[in-house]
Amino acid sequence: MNGKALPYLLLMPATLFLCVFFLYPFALVAFEAVTRDGAFTLDNFRTMAGSWKFPVTVSNTLLLAAIVVPIQLAMALLMASVVSRLETGRSVALYIFAIPLGISDLAAGLIWLAIFDQSGFLNTLLSTLGIVDRPIMFLGYQDKLTIFVAVALAEIWRATAIMMVILVAGMGLIPKEYCEAAEVFGAGPWKRFIRITLPLLRPSLQTAIILRVILAFEVFAVVAALGGTNLPVLMGETYNWQFTLQDRNVAAASALLILAISIGFTLFFLRVLRVPKEARI
Amino acid sequence: MAEIAIKGVAKRFGGFTALHQVDLAIADQEFMVLLGASGCGKTTLLRIVAGLETPSQGEVWIGGRRVDHLPPRERGIAMVFQNYAVFPHLTVFENIAFGLRMKKLPQQEVERRVNRTAELMHIEQLLKRYSGQLSGGQRQRVAVARALAVEPDVILMDEPLSNLDALLRLEMRAELKGVLAASKTTTIYVTHDQVEAMSLADRIAVMHQGRIVQAASPVEVYRDPAARFVGSFIGNPPMNFLPASKAANGGWSVAGLTLPGPRSERQNIEFAIRPEDVDAGDDGLQATVRVIEPLGPHTLVTCDVEGGLFRAVLDSGATVAVGDRLRLAPKPDRIRWFDPETTNAL
């Protein structure tokens, strides 16, 4: 057999699979988003954007991403630095940090619901300690801010580990000599982190941030569990259009919007954190 | 003034002892080479002086100041790493400027020093490039320039030439020697290459199994090895060793020859001579020629002396053939004796 053809041949099944079960349905969704009753139209996007919930949905989603991702990034960097420096017990620490990764987002939402619920752990604790007389309703429909904070907490708890794991792997790829050289030439721990580790970590930072930002725009189950419809987000609205309002075309338009935002941010971070070819390790 | 004193430094990694109680004094502006086979502890010792490794015990003094508790950046040192460690995300200019920026020198001074050291190392045309665009030899130059730019009291070099090809190594060796002599810094240079050590060093510290066996000038290390190991490690081909037993008249009998030697309680000691310190003649050690290697300036002859291997460097004009029986006379003033138990020179 021709040796040059072999790799392509081996890639064929996976490519076909993706075409049939991803590209084709995607094309269908895209088609549905820009048609109604068989005719091309942008009405679906207009309907979506015209909904009274739309502005608050977009702002909630963006705000959540804007608050959660930077906090996660900072925490993941800190945790990864600590874990990378461990000489013993490194894998134990990694496993423990990674536990939330094994839990589905809905389960994570439910865990935090169990904490913040009227009869949940937090209220039990507060009343046992005598701080409150009767349970506080943290997640009532009027308490947008507490719901927001609870969702942010749950998201941070749930998905920081994925960034950390990527960053730990990235830090492992940086040869120790660079940090030693920086140390010899006068850089203290903070300077070494800023001037050596961070720039050399750019490829991993890129992966971690893009992955996390995309996931942040798709936030759904955690919000549904903790806030129901009190904190509308983009993915929840897409679900609403599809199943509650039974409008597949607007739901498709909404899904495309999420995709567009994700692609936009991905391109942005690819550009900003790009490592020029000549400056790679 | 940056003399270095290493006092009783030991290093243990778990159950393994990398360094046993090493003492070494290096004078201001001296070029000291730590020479030894891999695993002898020379790099560990260098890293302890640098502060990248903490000694298990002992003290390190630089310029009259005890530094073993200080981080590397407070020791007034610069270092050239084996793999150069030229930062890949910075240009050559910023690499050389790194130490100066850390010292927060004004931009004008940074530029002046970077340009001066770049010129010294002949890399002024590379200042805008990145490490990935440089050859091994160029990276090496950047690493040395970065070390020189901070105008340190002490430069530490960890096998800086070992990743270069033979020709480049020769060129860089001569250049390094000139540049470092002009910079008037104290230098500790680690290598496993004895030719490099001989050609660069003011003094060589020969290390073996975590100890300094001998610290002396290159010629002294070569001519008067303090221990059997030094004689067998330095020199290519290395020293010849033959067993010697006490003769009646107070001399020592070596392969049928009776030679005057040191006084010793022992009945058997070891005789040693460098291959170039024998003359083929009518009298001397009885040798049977096994292999002849004409090397141009001289001819290397491997012989059999009393069942042991013995190498002799003869004049390239000498006519010998395999199987010939030679008489090799050792030059009396070049004969060395070793105690077989302690392996020390007698």
Side-chain angles (χ1 to χ4, degrees):
Chain A
M1 188 194 290
N2 187 345
K4 270 189 182 166
L6 185 64
Y8 296 100
L9 213 68
L10 291 173
L11 286 175
M12 193 75 98
T15 314
L16 271 180
F17 181 89
L18 277 179
C19 286
V20 173
F21 292 102
F22 179 76
L23 278 185
Y24 176 65
F26 172 75
L28 281 186
V29 170
F31 182 72
E32 270 182 6
V34 294
T35 55
R36 184 164 284 271
D37 306 324
F40 176 79
T41 172
L42 288 177
D43 278 353
N44 301 323
F45 288 95
R46 270 180 220 119
T47 313
M48 173 188 74
S51 156
W52 66 271
K53 266 186 170 176
F54 183 72
V56 65
T57 310
V58 173
S59 69
N60 278 343
T61 311
L62 290 179
L63 199 62
L64 203 55
I67 288 175
V68 169
V69 177
I71 292 177
Q72 283 186 324
L73 180 62
M75 286 179 63
L77 276 171
L78 186 71
M79 286 153 79
S81 306
V82 173
V83 169
S84 298
R85 215 158 293 180
L86 289 182
E87 277 175 20
T88 47
R90 186 168 153 177
S91 36
V92 175
L94 259 182
Y95 285 131
I96 292 174
F97 279 150
I99 286 175
L101 279 183
I103 295 170
S104 81
D105 47 354
L106 182 59
L110 292 176
I111 288 173
W112 284 84
L113 185 63
I115 294 173
F116 287 113
D117 204 28
Q118 228 174 327
S119 54
F121 299 138
L122 191 53
N123 268 316
T124 315
L125 184 71
L126 290 177
S127 59
T128 313
L129 292 176
I131 296 170
V132 295
D133 306 331
R134 55 199 178 84
I136 304 171
M137 195 152 144
F138 290 109
L139 304 172
Y141 69 95
Q142 286 165 317
D143 305 310
K144 290 272 160 60
L145 186 67
T146 20
I147 295 177
F148 190 90
V149 171
V151 169
L153 267 177
E155 278 289 288
I156 291 166
W157 174 85
R158 188 178 70 83
T160 302
I162 184 76
M163 292 183 101
M164 185 204 67
V165 170
I166 295 171
L167 295 181
V168 167
M171 285 180 183
L173 289 176
I174 302 174
K176 229 176 63 190
E177 281 198 337
Y178 292 132
C179 274
E180 289 182 350
E183 202 176 345
V184 165
F185 286 103
W190 176 247
K191 280 259 170 66
R192 290 203 292 279
F193 181 73
I194 294 294
R195 309 225 11 182
I196 307 296
T197 310
L198 270 189
L200 294 178
L201 200 58
R202 259 188 303 188
S204 310
L205 277 176
Q206 204 178 44
T207 312
I209 291 177
I210 289 174
L211 202 69
R212 223 359 251 156
V213 165
I214 291 177
L215 285 174
F217 291 128
E218 291 172 356
V219 65
F220 174 57
V222 171
V223 179
L226 286 171
T229 52
N230 289 324
L231 189 76
V233 287
L234 272 174
M235 208 40 127
E237 272 313 282
T238 312
Y239 179 89
N240 252 348
W241 283 109
Q242 176 79 22
F243 295 104
T244 315
L245 304 169
Q246 298 276 331
D247 193 329
R248 295 170 50 172
N249 301 82
V250 178
S254 181
L256 277 194
L257 176 70
I258 297 173
L259 179 68
I261 295 177
S262 296
I263 291 176
F265 273 94
T266 303
L267 291 177
F268 172 74
F269 284 116
L270 280 178
R271 177 101 203 115
V272 169
L273 295 174
R274 193 174 58 95
V275 185
K277 201 172 157 209
E278 64 273 13
R280 282 173 203 162
I281 295 178
Chain B
M1 288 293 283
E3 69 285 351
I4 301 169
I6 296 163
K7 298 177 183 172
V9 164
K11 178 70 181 176
R12 288 176 286 274
F13 294 104
F16 173 70
T17 305
L19 289 174
H20 305 263
Q21 301 273 345
V22 170
D23 291 288
L24 186 65
I26 301 164
D28 183 39
Q29 300 188 23
E30 190 174 22
F31 198 124
M32 172 64 84
V33 171
L34 303 181
L35 173 67
S38 62
C40 71
K42 57 191 191 299
T43 295
T44 306
L45 185 56
L46 187 81
R47 290 172 60 87
I48 286 174
V49 175
L52 296 170
E53 212 83 67
T54 327
S56 305
Q57 65 191 72
E59 299 173 8
V60 179
W61 294 69
I62 296 177
R65 200 163 56 111
R66 189 171 170 187
V67 296
D68 43 88
H69 57 283
L70 296 177
R73 61 182 181 279
E74 289 168 31
R75 295 187 179 199
I77 53 162
M79 188 160 172
V80 178
F81 291 80
Q82 185 172 9
N83 301 321
Y84 319 133
V86 174
F87 304 125
H89 61 293
L90 299 177
T91 58
V92 168
F93 184 97
E94 284 304 326
N95 261 288
I96 300 174
F98 190 88
L100 310 173
R101 299 245 189 257
M102 290 297 124
K103 285 185 181 169
K104 299 201 161 69
L105 293 187
Q107 177 67 16
Q108 225 180 345
E109 176 69 4
V110 171
E111 274 174 29
R112 192 186 66 78
R113 287 221 217 162
V114 171
N115 288 326
R116 192 176 55 83
T117 44
E119 214 172 295
L120 199 66
M121 295 309 298
H122 306 293
I123 47 172
E124 58 271 46
Q125 74 287 2
L126 303 176
L127 286 175
K128 285 187 185 132
R129 295 219 201 152
Y130 286 91
S131 163
Q133 298 165 305
L134 303 179
S135 69
Q138 289 170 331
R139 259 178 242 183
Q140 165 73 65
R141 287 168 184 275
V142 176
V144 175
R146 179 174 62 183
L148 291 173
V150 295
E151 296 175 3
D153 300 328
V154 176
I155 289 193
L156 307 174
M157 299 197 160
D158 185 8
E159 308 224 14
L161 303 182
S162 65
N163 288 356
L164 301 180
D165 61 59
L167 214 64
L168 208 54
R169 205 180 310 171
L170 212 66
E171 185 191 319
M172 276 304 289
R173 196 170 80 197
E175 210 173 316
L176 268 186
K177 187 164 187 172
V179 165
L180 287 171
S183 73
K184 299 196 167 165
T185 56
T186 311
T187 307
I188 304 183
Y189 185 106
V190 163
T191 183
H192 63 266
D193 182 331
Q194 47 166 304
V195 183
E196 218 168 280
M198 302 286 286
S199 69
L200 288 172
D202 292 327
R203 268 197 307 152
I204 298 177
V206 183
M207 293 188 67
H208 183 50
Q209 293 178 342
R211 290 191 170 85
I212 291 179
V213 189
Q214 185 174 15
S217 73
V219 174
E220 195 182 336
V221 164
Y222 186 81
R223 286 204 173 175
D224 295 313
R228 191 185 197 278
F229 170 79
V230 180
S232 66
F233 184 72
I234 291 181
N236 185 21
M239 239 175 180
N240 294 300
F241 297 93
L242 291 171
S245 53
K246 205 166 241 176
N249 58 357
W252 297 90
S253 139
V254 181
L257 212 64
T258 304
L259 299 162
R263 264 183 228 174
S264 172
E265 300 294 302
R266 300 189 190 284
Q267 289 304 309
N268 296 292
I269 59 170
E270 252 183 325
F271 159 92
I273 189 88
R274 292 244 172 234
E276 65 272 25
D277 293 334
V278 291
D279 293 312
D282 304 326
D283 198 18
L285 304 162
Q286 281 191 11
T288 313
V289 177
R290 293 273 174 246
V291 180
I292 301 163
E293 297 166 78
L295 298 175
H298 49 76
T299 298
L300 179 62
V301 180
T302 305
C303 313
D304 196 342
V305 175
E306 282 214 326
L309 216 60
F310 190 100
R311 290 198 184 83
V313 171
L314 300 183
D315 189 81
S316 54
T319 48
V320 283
V322 173
D324 280 2
R325 297 177 74 84
L326 296 179
R327 284 287 193 161
L328 300 171
K331 292 176 188 161
D333 59 326
R334 295 296 171 79
I335 297 171
R336 299 292 176 262
W337 305 91
F338 292 97
D339 184 318
E341 297 270 319
T342 64
T343 79
N344 288 335
L346 289 168

